[in-house]
Amino acid sequence: MAFAPLVEISPIEWQALAERAVEPNGYYLPAWELAVNASARGRTGVSALTAWSDASSAQDGAARLIGLLPVISMWRAYKIPLPALVSASPYGTLCTPLLDRNIAGAAVRQLMAQARESGAHALILRDVSLNGAAMKAFTDVLRQDGLHPRLLNSHFRACLDARREADELLRDALGGKKLKELRRQRNRLAEHGAVRFDVARTPEAIAAAIETFLALEASGWKARRGTALRQDEGDAGFIRRATKGLAETGQCEIVTLHAGATPVAAAIVLRHQDRAFYFKLGIDERFSKFSPGVQLTLELTRHLCADAVLATADSTASADHPMINPIWRGRLKIGDVLIPLRRHDPVVPLIRSAITAHRRIRELARRAVHLIRGR
């Protein structure tokens, strides 16, 4: 392979690229993705396509990292034995590559060239922002070469316009009647102790708050389904390392809602440039009749809208998420895109057809599981 293991990339160069990135992606920040790569279940041992500036043109004579995309083989991603590289899952539903905003086109060209040199016939970008600057850079380069991206699937997910005034935004989203009901539930929750919203930012505060989050997440349906982070040693290790590492650069917060001394809901929020990313939520189901997850999200909305640095927040949730969709009414178009690497390549239609068939089989299996569970 012409590209390097993820662990061989300088975290300093990587972080510098993230600060210059044409489009933010909190899940491809070095502290997060390296922690995923170190121990997260099924997500270790990742490589990366990288692009570098010409050292001779730099004032200090040193090459600079201008593009980065963690990747895995198509076999590992889909169990399909065809020559394509697929963006690696960073345990979050966003795989937008990091591209230097000043030379994004040059970065794209290098990433594509490196993929070709490895023997790949296509790049599969999973869960990318379809209307974002990074996808535009890929589209522009492809157009110059007489190529075009192939959309494999797409959906819309909730996002927050953090530049708006929070109370006005919440009134528009939920209406007076629903907000009144939520205030009634909050008052009933307060009967168990004063309701308090806390934000952990420092590495020390994050280290304590992550244990609260892990306990809450493992106390409910996620644990019963076997998907709580604390249930797997590698996943628990990843999230502890990642949140601490991001806290050291001011790019992570853990928000917690308390009723007296009892934490009833907690969530992890990543930050990159002017965007926040709502990663995961854990609640104490003993308080479910008071809607603790919604109550926390209302407080988080006010917190994010009060931050002058933030412009948007990505829910990173599923397309029709029943909790976040009614509250955050903005929408991001997310999808999977096939990037052909050569003109008139007969292998590319095979890759596309194989992925389409794979997705249909998975959807049929998912429906069958729901049907069986519903009986």
Side-chain angles (χ1 to χ4, degrees):
M1 305 287 270
F3 45 92
L6 205 62
V7 293
E8 293 184 7
I9 300 168
S10 163
I12 296 173
E13 283 285 346
W14 188 345
Q15 184 65 31
L17 169 62
E19 292 169 4
R20 302 189 309 271
V22 70
E23 185 176 350
N25 182 357
Y27 298 116
Y28 275 167
L29 289 169
W32 182 272
E33 177 60 6
L34 287 171
V36 172
N37 186 65
S39 67
R41 177 173 44 182
R43 293 172 170 87
T44 60
V46 168
S47 296
L49 298 172
T50 55
W52 296 83
S53 66
D54 185 355
S56 63
S57 64
Q59 292 182 348
D60 58 2
R64 188 173 67 179
L65 186 65
I66 61 171
L68 182 141
L69 175 63
V71 290
I72 57 176
S73 69
M74 192 172 178
W75 172 255
R76 180 172 174 181
Y78 302 111
K79 292 296 183 284
I80 296 172
L82 288 173
L85 293 173
V86 183
S87 54
S89 168
Y91 223 116
T93 54
L94 188 65
C95 299
T96 299
L98 298 181
L99 306 173
D100 190 310
R101 68 171 68 95
N102 297 315
I103 41 177
V108 167
R109 283 198 175 279
Q110 281 197 48
L111 295 177
M112 290 174 60
Q114 198 174 87
R116 278 193 296 269
E117 290 167 8
S118 77
H121 287 244
L123 275 176
I124 311 299
L125 303 181
R126 297 188 290 186
D127 290 324
V128 295
S129 174
L130 295 177
N131 296 324
M135 195 63 236
K136 182 180 185 303
F138 271 93
T139 302
D140 289 346
V141 168
L142 288 168
R143 185 184 298 114
Q144 293 165 16
D145 294 343
L147 296 165
H148 64 274
R150 318 284 178 87
L151 182 65
L152 299 172
N153 61 75
S154 66
H155 65 276
F156 290 92
R157 72 179 179 215
C159 68
L160 170 71
D161 182 354
R163 296 164 297 189
R164 291 189 60 188
E165 198 277 325
D167 288 335
E168 177 188 10
L169 183 149
L170 292 172
R171 280 196 304 272
D172 290 346
L174 297 172
K177 183 177 180 181
K178 180 62 176 178
L179 285 174
K180 183 178 180 180
E181 170 62 17
L182 289 168
R183 282 194 296 271
R184 185 189 67 81
Q185 291 180 345
R186 182 186 175 99
N187 290 336
R188 290 190 59 200
L189 178 61
E191 295 172 4
H192 297 265
V195 177
R196 185 177 82 257
F197 176 74
D198 288 337
V199 181
R201 295 186 180 91
T202 67
E204 296 76 19
I206 288 285
I210 192 62
E211 299 307 320
T212 298
F213 167 84
L214 288 171
L216 285 169
E217 193 204 26
S219 69
W221 64 268
K222 291 182 182 180
R224 293 191 293 273
R225 201 170 67 177
T227 60
L229 289 165
R230 200 169 72 171
Q231 290 177 293
D232 182 86
E233 183 177 345
D235 286 349
F238 130 68
I239 198 63
R240 290 183 176 113
R241 173 179 167 178
T243 51
K244 181 178 181 294
L246 288 177
E248 291 172 354
T249 56
Q251 294 177 301
C252 178
E253 297 176 340
I254 299 180
V255 294
T256 308
L257 192 71
H258 293 83
T262 305
V264 297
I268 299 170
V269 180
L270 310 187
R271 298 170 63 112
H272 184 200
Q273 298 180 3
D274 64 351
R275 189 169 300 174
F277 301 86
Y278 196 172
F279 174 55
K280 275 184 179 290
L281 171 69
I283 67 168
D284 187 333
E285 292 185 357
R286 295 175 301 170
F287 296 86
S288 58
K289 62 184 177 182
F290 308 123
S291 303
V294 175
Q295 301 289 353
L296 177 72
T297 301
L298 297 183
E299 292 293 341
L300 176 61
T301 301
R302 297 183 180 101
H303 170 65
L304 297 176
C305 287
D307 191 317
V309 173
L310 295 177
T312 57
D314 184 348
S315 69
T316 66
S318 57
D320 299 307
H321 196 280
M323 187 278 285
I324 197 66
N325 276 27
I327 303 173
W328 291 5
R329 292 300 183 97
R331 294 294 180 264
L332 288 172
K333 191 174 184 181
I334 304 294
D336 296 352
V337 181
L338 185 153
I339 305 295
L341 299 176
R342 300 169 180 83
R343 295 182 66 182
H344 311 302
D345 186 344
V347 178
V348 169
L350 295 177
I351 293 171
R352 185 177 186 180
S353 296
I355 292 175
T356 300
H358 178 271
R359 187 174 68 251
R360 288 175 178 167
I361 291 170
R362 283 178 61 89
E363 178 61 23
L364 287 172
R366 186 185 67 83
R367 291 180 182 177
V369 168
H370 283 303
L371 180 63
I372 292 168
R373 288 177 176 173
R375 287 179 176 175

